[in-house]
Amino acid sequence: MNENLFASFTTPTMMGLPIVILIIMFPSIMFPSPNRLINNRLISMQQWLLQLTSKQMMSAHNSKGQTWALMLMSLILFIASTNLLGLLPHSFTPTTQLSMNLGMAIPLWAGTVFVGFRHKTKASLAHFLPQGTPVFLIPMLVIIETISLFIQPIALAVRLTANITAGHLLMHLIGGATLALMDISPTTALITFIILILLTILEFAVALIQAYVFTLLVSLYLHDNT
């Protein structure tokens, strides 16, 4: 119980050097490239899930938006695998770092905005001023819409960071309470252990859902700009 509550969120180092880059590259090992004429069950299931997700996410896009399919599928695979690997004991979850999530959100958001201003300049500018706005409200609405536009990548990053961090903190607290209660009240410790198991199952679902939500919101921003 004396362990620092936020120790698991500290960037790991080896010989004084951060090893975040190696941790970020590690999930790619989970998705090997098929090199056989007939794939095994694991690769077949991965391809089926990718096709299902891609079809559901890209069905509303036009031809310009569908060119982002590979990037969006790579994004959801990376976030989901990183979140799942972070649930292992004594592991580090890069998606609990706001700086990393901002590093993913800002370039993707900026790319969608750039595509919108390039291909739909009038429609993109029209979002800043809704039709029928009174003249005296025009400056205020332009400022509000501009702020809401620039808040989008921050909201993307903060949502992912907060959900993953909150789940890890809850698991840490309940796990520590279970260990502390084992000598005091075994019955209560058993109850908290069952709660910990249920929370772990929920965190598996949250890890996948947050990856899908992050990618889906980027897809929606892209849809609004293509």
Side-chain angles (χ1 to χ4, degrees):
M1 293 296 290
N2 294 326
E3 183 183 355
N4 185 4
L5 186 62
F6 296 94
S8 59
F9 304 113
T10 305
T11 304
T13 58
M14 181 180 295
M15 300 178 63
L17 299 175
I19 56 174
V20 177
I21 297 178
L22 295 177
I23 296 174
I24 292 174
M25 294 173 60
F26 183 74
S28 61
I29 302 175
M30 300 176 59
F31 304 100
S33 300
N35 54 5
R36 298 179 180 178
L37 183 62
I38 300 177
N39 297 326
N40 57 28
R41 292 182 178 88
L42 178 60
I43 295 180
S44 298
M45 182 174 294
Q46 290 177 357
Q47 292 179 344
W48 175 75
L49 287 174
L50 281 175
Q51 291 175 359
L52 181 65
T53 307
S54 177
K55 183 178 179 180
Q56 182 179 4
M57 192 172 296
M58 307 305 297
S59 59
H61 288 272
N62 55 21
S63 57
K64 293 179 181 177
Q66 290 177 357
T67 58
W68 285 55
L70 180 60
M71 182 182 297
L72 294 179
M73 290 303 101
S74 301
L75 178 66
I76 192 172
L77 280 177
F78 172 74
I79 299 177
S81 57
T82 304
N83 291 344
L84 291 175
L85 288 174
L87 294 175
L88 297 174
H90 305 288
S91 61
F92 173 73
T93 312
T95 47
T96 57
Q97 306 296 312
L98 183 60
S99 58
M100 175 180 165
N101 295 334
L102 284 173
M104 292 190 296
I106 292 177
L108 291 170
W109 166 83
T112 60
V113 173
F114 176 77
V115 169
F117 278 103
R118 181 180 179 184
H119 298 288
K120 296 172 61 178
T121 306
K122 293 183 179 180
S124 298
L125 292 175
H127 286 298
F128 293 95
L129 188 62
Q131 188 176 6
T133 304
V135 178
F136 64 92
L137 289 178
I138 289 178
M140 184 181 299
L141 279 178
V142 170
I143 294 174
I144 292 174
E145 291 297 328
T146 303
I147 294 173
S148 66
L149 178 66
F150 282 96
I151 284 178
Q152 288 178 353
I154 301 175
L156 269 178
V158 170
R159 180 186 295 107
L160 179 59
T161 304
N163 282 282
I164 301 302
T165 303
H168 282 58
L169 288 176
L170 275 175
M171 293 175 63
H172 187 281
L173 290 172
I174 296 177
T178 304
L179 291 175
L181 290 171
M182 287 181 64
D183 297 330
I184 303 173
S185 176
T187 304
T188 308
L190 178 61
I191 295 174
T192 55
F193 180 70
I194 294 174
I195 295 175
L196 180 61
I197 293 176
L198 295 177
L199 180 62
T200 303
I201 297 173
L202 177 63
E203 282 304 306
F204 271 97
V206 169
L208 298 175
I209 291 172
Q210 288 305 314
Y212 180 77
V213 169
F214 189 97
T215 311
L216 180 62
L217 289 175
V218 174
S219 176
L220 291 177
Y221 296 156
L222 178 64
H223 180 265
D224 292 338
N225 289 282
T226 55

